[in-house]
Amino acid sequence: MSIILLIVDIVFFIGAVFNVYWQSQIEIRSIYKISSLIFAAFIGAWLLVSPTGQLSYIIMVALFMLLNIMNGVGGVGEKKIVLNGFYSGVLDYAQVVHVTLIPIEIQGRKPKVAVIFNTKRPQQVEMNFNISYKEMEKYLQKKLSNDASVEVGQI
């Protein structure tokens, strides 16, 4: 059992290093995805009920909690799009074929934009940002290939 926990510790540590590297490349951060934090709190409370003194288990739980908290962070970076949520990862700009920008403008509040990235695979990735759609459109025009289209939609 200890060998399995050690392997899981190593995998979680590599995942944490992966997240730190790509999250450090983010130039425009998306709004934090709260669902990751809720999931981490739920799992953390459940794990507190069954404490143990085994060091590899404690490290595994700590890294698991750290990864869940880190998975809420996402945004667009210099080289790739950093996805947030439970299945976080990175998305290459070359894979994006269409982007829909949906401005969210409420009087008296900062502008926001919902961005939907459609990829070559039948996949959609949605992220929200605390900037105007014009700023996001200008930024993405520099990063996306000429084949990718950008559309400004409405709610």
Side-chain angles (χ1 to χ4, degrees):
M1 183 70 161
S2 184
I3 297 291
I4 293 172
L5 286 175
L6 187 60
I7 292 169
V8 171
D9 287 348
I10 292 169
V11 169
F12 282 178
F13 181 76
I14 291 169
V17 170
F18 175 84
N19 280 349
V20 167
Y21 174 76
W22 284 109
Q23 288 175 6
S24 71
Q25 306 295 316
I26 294 174
E27 293 179 339
I28 302 174
R29 290 203 182 280
S30 67
I31 296 173
Y32 187 83
K33 198 159 215 158
I34 297 293
S35 61
S36 294
L37 194 58
I38 293 169
F39 182 71
F42 176 74
I43 296 296
W46 176 59
L47 292 172
L48 283 175
V49 175
S50 58
T52 183
Q54 192 173 2
L55 183 61
S56 58
Y57 180 78
I58 294 169
I59 292 171
M60 181 198 70
V61 170
L63 286 170
F64 181 75
M65 298 295 290
L66 176 67
L67 285 171
N68 276 298
I69 293 168
M70 290 175 78
N71 285 341
V73 177
V76 290
E78 183 179 333
K79 299 175 187 172
K80 297 184 187 247
I81 301 165
V82 180
L83 308 177
N84 56 5
F86 189 69
Y87 299 107
S88 65
V90 293
L91 177 64
D92 194 357
Y93 287 109
Q95 295 296 314
V96 176
V97 293
H98 182 78
V99 177
T100 304
L101 303 173
I102 302 171
I104 303 169
E105 297 173 351
I106 301 172
Q107 283 188 339
R109 291 197 173 175
K110 292 177 8 182
K112 296 181 184 217
V113 61
V115 182
I116 302 170
F117 299 97
N118 294 305
T119 65
K120 291 179 181 176
R121 297 186 310 163
Q123 176 188 15
Q124 285 187 333
V125 176
E126 190 265 332
M127 300 173 89
N128 299 310
F129 296 87
N130 283 325
I131 63 172
S132 72
Y133 78 93
K134 291 180 183 181
E135 290 177 72
M136 182 57 77
E137 183 177 30
K138 185 178 175 183
Y139 180 85
L140 289 175
Q141 292 294 348
K142 296 178 201 171
K143 301 293 180 183
L144 296 172
S145 68
N146 295 334
D147 299 333
S149 61
V150 177
E151 168 191 4
V152 178
Q154 296 181 18
I155 293 181

